[in-house]
Amino acid sequence: GKFAQLLTPAEGNDAKLTDWITTVRAADLPHLHSFANGLELDRAAVDAGLTLPYHNGRAEGVNTRTKRIMRQMHGRAGFPLLRHRILLQ
């Protein structure tokens, strides 16, 4: 519900998250209390993720592709071949 709406970055989402956390802490839902506590551990990063339009999707895609190639080559060759395969794709 309301938390899912926060996942689309927009101004004011940080204040809405504070309201959501207050509501969750008042409810008898221990698993959500743990989740809310985790959000509070690095609140600045969470607020940035919910309010700023930037993301690292392209970099994560490159990381995922590189890890897939490394898994496919496991134990077969060293860094030169890995570098060659990455550059060819």
Side-chain angles (χ1 to χ4, degrees):
K2 292 198 182 270
F3 185 80
Q5 294 170 354
L6 297 175
L7 298 180
T8 302
E11 274 188 49
N13 274 356
D14 47 351
K16 290 176 186 174
L17 179 62
T18 301
D19 295 341
W20 184 84
I21 289 174
T22 303
T23 303
V24 162
R25 289 199 169 134
D28 184 26
L29 299 167
H31 59 285
L32 280 182
H33 293 188
S34 297
F35 180 66
N37 291 339
L39 293 175
E40 291 287 351
L41 288 177
D42 196 357
R43 185 62 193 267
V46 173
D47 285 348
L50 297 180
T51 58
L52 300 175
Y54 313 110
H55 60 84
N56 63 344
R58 190 173 300 258
E60 287 301 320
V62 170
N63 290 342
T64 301
R65 184 170 52 87
T66 302
K67 288 178 182 181
R68 178 180 47 82
I69 292 170
M70 289 174 64
R71 280 193 307 272
Q72 290 171 346
M73 293 179 51
H74 181 70
R76 289 199 180 89
F79 181 75
L81 181 59
L82 174 62
R83 180 178 183 275
H84 182 72
R85 282 203 53 196
I86 289 172
L87 293 176
L88 284 177
Q89 288 201 3

